[in-house]
């Protein structure tokens, strides 16, 4: 039963988190390449491009944190208080005791 529940959770969160993590992976590769090649160059354009890629990587890390936090709250709310959580509400306790 736990395997089935986890399968549905991974499917529900994977639809959103896999593209977000893919964007993070792409920006991390770009930031790595900018650290290795672009920031050491003497050209103004290439050093500015390297700084922009590193900044984009920082924003991507922050974005993954925010998206995962919002998704975690949304999944908790759906699993407890909406149609997916109908079994939880059959227990003879209040909502505050569930949490």
């Amino acid at each position: 039963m736990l395997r089935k529940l986890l399968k549905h959770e991974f499917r529900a969160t994977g639809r959103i988190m896999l593209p977000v993590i893919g964007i993070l992976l792409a920006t991390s590769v770009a930031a790595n390449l900018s650290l290795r090649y672009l920031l050491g160059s003497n050209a103004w354009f290439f050093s500015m491009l390297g700084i922009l890629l590193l900044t984009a990587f920082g924003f991507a890390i922050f974005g993954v944190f925010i998206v995962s936090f919002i998704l975690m709250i949304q999944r908790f709310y759906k699993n407890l208080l909406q149609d997916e959580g109908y079994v939880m509400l059959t227990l003879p306790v209040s909502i505050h005791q569930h949490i």
Side-chain angles (χ1 to χ4, degrees), residues 67-80:
V67 168
S68 64
F69 184 71
I70 290 172
L71 186 64
M72 179 177 48
I73 291 172
Q74 179 188 18
R75 292 298 304 162
F76 179 76
Y77 178 74
K78 282 184 179 179
N79 284 333
L80 183 63

Side-chain angles (χ1 to χ4, degrees), residues 29-54:
V29 168
N32 184 14
L33 292 176
S34 71
L35 278 174
R36 291 177 187 249
Y37 302 114
L38 295 178
L39 290 180
S41 68
N42 293 330
W44 176 81
F45 176 74
F46 290 126
S47 72
M48 185 59 70
L49 183 63
I51 291 171
L52 288 176
L53 287 173
L54 286 174

